Amino acid sequence: MNLLISHSQPTLDNNDLTQITTLFESKMLSSGSTNKKFSEKLSKYLRNDRVSLFSSASLGLYYILKVLELGDKTDVLLPNYICESVIKAVLLAGFNPVLYDNRPNSWVSDIDIIKNSLTTNTGAIIVNHTFGIYLDRINDLVKSGIPIIEDCCHVLSTSISDEEISKYSICSFYSFDSTKWISTGNGGAVASNDKDFMNKLESIKVDQGISDLNCSLGISQIEKIEEFKSKRTEISHQYFKEMPFITKELKNLKSCFFRFPILVSNSSLFFDSKKVAYRKGVDQLLNSKYNSNTNLINSERIFEKTVSIPIYPSLTKNQIEIIINETKKIFYDNSSS
C-alpha cells in the first residue's frame, strides 16, 4: 500500500535531537541563555542589529503595529493572497485591513497595485514574498513615507537570487512553525536595523516568546539553513527538467523555492491523489471570509488554478520520483479531459 507523501514537514536529524537532549538534561527549559543565543544567531544570519523572539509570527506583527503608533491612520494594506493569521493580527491590533490584489497570473503582488491602494488613511503596508518568490520594486513604496512591514515567513534569508530582502522595510517578521524554513516547534521573530523601533518593541513585550527548549532546536536548525536551501534548489531543478509544462509559470521568477506552485485547469483532481498530498497555495483568500467589497480578480483566478507540490529537504529520491510521476499523470489527464 502506498503511503501518502505529505505536502510539507520539518527536516530533523540526530543533531537536532542531540541539541534538545543536552538542553533537556540541563533542566533549564524556560527562556534564558539559549533563547539569547538563538536570537544572536538569527541576528547575525539576517544581518540585522536586533532580533526579538515571539511565540508566533502573527504575535510579532501585532506588536509591530502597536509600536508604530499610527495614530488616526487606521488602514493597514496587506495582500489578499496570504495566510489568515496576518489579517487576524491586524484586526487584533485594532486596525482596518485593506486588501490588495496580485499581479495578473502571478502568486506575488504588484507594487503599482499597492500604490494605487494608498489613501490618506493608510498607516502601514505589509508586503510579502509569496512561496519564496521575490517581490520586486519595494523601494518604490518608500517615497510614500508610509512604514513598510515585510512578511518574511516564506523567506529566511538576506536575499533571493542576489536581490536583497528587508532593505526598504522598517522591520520584517519570520515564522519558525513546523513547516517553515527552520522549525522550533512554534515561534517567530521580528528583525530590524532601526534601534529606536526595536527598543520600543522590547519595552512592551510581556515575555521572551520562545522557551530555551524550543530555541535549542532553532540553533541546530539554523546551522543547516544553507543545506536546506541547496536541497530545495536541487529538487526544483529536477522538477523543471522532468515536468516541462511548469516552466513558463515559475522558472523565470526569482525564487528560493519555499513552495513549488504550478497552474492547472482543474486543481481538484490533484487533491484527490492517493499518493501525494497536494495543497492549494493558501487555504482561502482573505476577501472570501472578511467580506471585502474590493475587486480582487487576479488573486481569485490564481487561487483557483494553483496546486502546490511538495519540495522540502527531507524528501527521498524515491519520493521525488513518485511526486514527479504522479504530477505528470494528473496534469496530462487533466489536460486531455
Side-chain angles (χ1 to χ4, degrees):
M1 181 178 74
N2 289 318
L3 297 176
L4 190 71
I5 298 172
S6 62
H7 176 261
S8 53
Q9 64 181 33
T11 300
L12 304 171
D13 59 23
N14 288 333
N15 290 330
D16 298 310
L17 181 60
T18 299
Q19 186 77 21
I20 293 174
T21 301
T22 301
L23 194 284
F24 185 79
E25 290 172 348
S26 75
K27 296 183 171 57
M28 300 295 290
L29 305 185
S30 60
S31 296
S33 60
T34 307
N35 176 288
K36 182 179 179 182
K37 183 179 178 181
F38 180 46
S39 179
E40 289 172 347
K41 278 186 171 290
L42 278 171
S43 177
K44 182 178 180 180
Y45 180 75
L46 295 171
R47 298 175 192 167
N48 275 268
D49 284 341
R50 296 270 290 280
V51 166
S52 185
L53 301 177
F54 290 86
S55 60
S56 69
S58 54
L59 185 62
L61 174 58
Y62 166 84
Y63 276 102
I64 289 169
L65 293 170
K66 286 298 186 182
V67 168
L68 287 177
E69 298 176 352
L70 303 180
D72 58 357
K73 293 186 175 183
T74 58
D75 289 349
V76 174
L77 269 58
L78 68 153
N80 187 37
Y81 194 82
I82 200 169
C83 175
E84 186 182 6
S85 63
V86 177
I87 196 170
K88 285 184 175 180
V90 173
L91 290 167
L92 184 64
F95 294 96
N96 176 47
V98 176
L99 307 177
Y100 59 80
D101 208 1
N102 288 29
R103 67 182 60 157
N105 299 310
S106 177
W107 298 283
V108 295
S109 304
D110 184 274
I111 297 301
D112 289 329
I113 290 176
I114 297 173
K115 288 166 69 175
N116 289 335
S117 301
L118 298 175
T119 70
T120 56
N121 203 40
T122 303
I125 308 167
I126 299 173
V127 298
N128 70 326
H129 306 277
T130 313
F131 308 147
I133 299 168
Y134 179 67
L135 173 64
D136 59 0
R137 296 177 52 215
I138 293 177
N139 58 306
D140 285 1
L141 296 175
V142 175
K143 299 173 185 177
S144 69
I146 299 171
I148 302 166
I149 304 166
E150 208 156 338
D151 177 346
C152 291
C153 291
H154 292 185
V155 186
L156 185 62
S157 182
T158 57
S159 64
I160 301 175
S161 300
D162 297 324
E163 299 286 356
E164 288 187 80
I165 303 298
S166 303
K167 183 177 180 179
Y168 302 103
S169 54
I170 189 170
C171 63
S172 50
F173 63 95
Y174 303 83
S175 174
F176 310 129
D177 284 350
S178 60
T179 62
K180 296 302 191 291
W181 276 96
I182 65 171
S183 177
T184 60
N186 58 16
V190 173
S192 178
N193 283 317
D194 187 317
K195 293 182 179 179
D196 289 339
F197 173 85
M198 292 303 289
N199 285 337
K200 291 179 182 178
L201 187 76
E202 290 287 350
S203 71
I204 65 172
K205 279 180 62 177
V206 297
D207 59 37
Q208 293 301 311
I210 309 179
S211 72
D212 275 13
L213 184 60
N214 296 86
C215 287
S216 66
L217 177 58
I219 289 170
S220 176
Q221 287 269 293
I222 201 168
E223 291 173 352
K224 297 176 286 190
I225 186 68
E226 295 304 321
E227 177 187 333
F228 292 165
K229 290 179 181 179
S230 177
K231 183 63 176 179
R232 287 178 183 272
T233 300
E234 178 186 325
I235 296 172
S236 74
H237 288 165
Q238 190 170 352
Y239 284 172
F240 285 129
K241 179 180 179 182
E242 301 196 38
M243 296 186 286
F245 53 82
I246 62 179
T247 300
K248 68 176 183 177
E249 283 93 17
L250 190 61
K251 190 172 184 180
N252 294 326
L253 295 172
K254 296 175 180 178
S255 178
C256 57
F257 301 105
F258 174 70
R259 294 281 185 260
F260 198 95
I262 63 171
L263 298 179
V264 300
S265 57
N266 185 356
S267 60
S268 62
L269 295 178
F270 287 82
F271 306 137
D272 291 334
S273 173
K274 300 297 188 294
K275 295 182 179 180
V276 179
Y278 298 101
R279 290 280 304 274
K280 287 182 172 291
V282 292
D283 292 334
Q284 62 183 349
L285 294 176
L286 297 186
N287 69 330
S288 69
K289 181 173 180 179
Y290 292 90
N291 300 318
S292 169
N293 294 319
T294 308
N295 181 12
L296 301 167
I297 190 65
N298 295 335
S299 53
E300 290 169 357
R301 286 174 176 169
I302 205 79
F303 175 78
E304 293 299 329
K305 296 191 295 181
T306 293
V307 170
S308 182
I309 302 174
I311 190 172
Y312 46 91
S314 59
L315 286 169
T316 66
K317 289 183 178 180
N318 182 57
Q319 286 175 322
I320 292 169
E321 286 300 324
I322 292 172
I323 291 168
I324 290 171
N325 291 334
E326 180 74 348
T327 304
K328 289 167 68 173
K329 178 182 181 301
I330 299 174
F331 182 89
Y332 288 122
D333 286 349
N334 192 333
S335 300
S336 63
S337 61

